[in-house]
Amino acid sequence: MILSSKFIELLNLGSANVKVCPKILELLSFCVYLPPMTLLPHPDLDQITLPNVLASLGDETRLAIIGFLARHEDLGMTCNQFCGLASKTNLTYHVGKLREAGVVNVRAEGTRRRVSLRRDDLDSLFPGFFDTVINNALAMPVVANYDASISDDTADLPEF
């Protein structure tokens, strides 16, 4: 990757990371300073707390997301499969809250994000609790009335 000396100064990287070429500088370890945008922070098992989990489940949209994920627990779902629940911006917010609380795992798959439940982690921390949450989420009308087949077509996904 070729970068100007002005850009190197703005990054304040110093000369240890650059190789001088005629009239240009090549940044050798650029990826160290700008990590990929696909890595999302998830709490470790010891960082997941019951108050945070309960707070994240206190929203109807998030509970519906849990219900859909429970129906497709083996594969997870991509974010665009929840589009009938809310706007994309709103879904990003809700999935982020669930991720930050340790309820879901989000991983990048190209330009998509695959969301899956962290059921094993939650069952080990709070035995029996998450089963009750899932049963209630599956009983929600928006989840119960949705066709269980996985597809990218969300036109038939009912709204609240």
Side-chain angles (χ1 to χ4, degrees):
M1 179 176 294
I2 308 297
L3 299 172
S4 72
S5 59
K6 184 67 174 170
F7 187 71
I8 299 298
E9 289 175 26
L10 289 173
L11 288 176
N12 194 22
L13 298 176
S15 61
N17 298 312
V18 294
K19 178 180 171 186
V20 177
C21 296
K23 298 184 182 180
I24 55 174
L25 295 174
E26 181 181 359
L27 187 60
L28 297 177
S29 58
F30 190 64
C31 61
V32 173
Y33 296 98
L34 299 175
M37 298 298 287
T38 57
L39 300 177
L40 296 172
H42 293 80
D44 293 329
L45 190 59
D46 60 341
Q47 296 173 322
I48 299 173
T49 63
L50 186 58
N52 288 343
V53 171
L54 290 173
S56 71
L57 297 173
D59 184 88
E60 193 173 83
T61 302
R62 290 182 217 143
L63 202 55
I65 290 170
I66 296 301
F68 285 120
L69 290 172
R71 290 183 82 169
H72 307 292
E73 200 166 352
D74 52 337
L75 298 174
M77 295 179 76
T78 57
C79 289
N80 66 338
Q81 292 174 299
F82 303 117
C83 285
L85 293 174
S87 67
K88 289 181 181 181
T89 304
N90 207 359
L91 283 172
T92 300
Y93 171 78
H94 287 301
V95 170
K97 287 295 184 184
L98 290 169
R99 178 185 49 78
E100 290 167 1
V103 177
V104 298
N105 183 40
V106 181
R107 68 181 185 280
E109 289 183 353
T111 58
R112 295 181 174 194
R113 307 272 184 187
R114 180 143 321 258
V115 184
S116 58
L117 292 175
R118 290 181 67 176
R119 188 168 186 161
D120 292 339
D121 292 342
L122 292 169
D123 284 342
S124 69
L125 289 172
F126 317 112
F129 167 73
F130 208 58
D131 291 332
T132 304
V133 170
I134 288 174
N135 289 336
N136 285 308
L138 289 172
M140 292 177 66
V142 69
V143 177
N145 297 332
Y146 180 66
D147 181 21
S149 65
I150 296 178
S151 73
D152 287 338
D153 183 16
T154 57
D156 62 338
L157 186 65
E159 296 186 25
F160 286 109

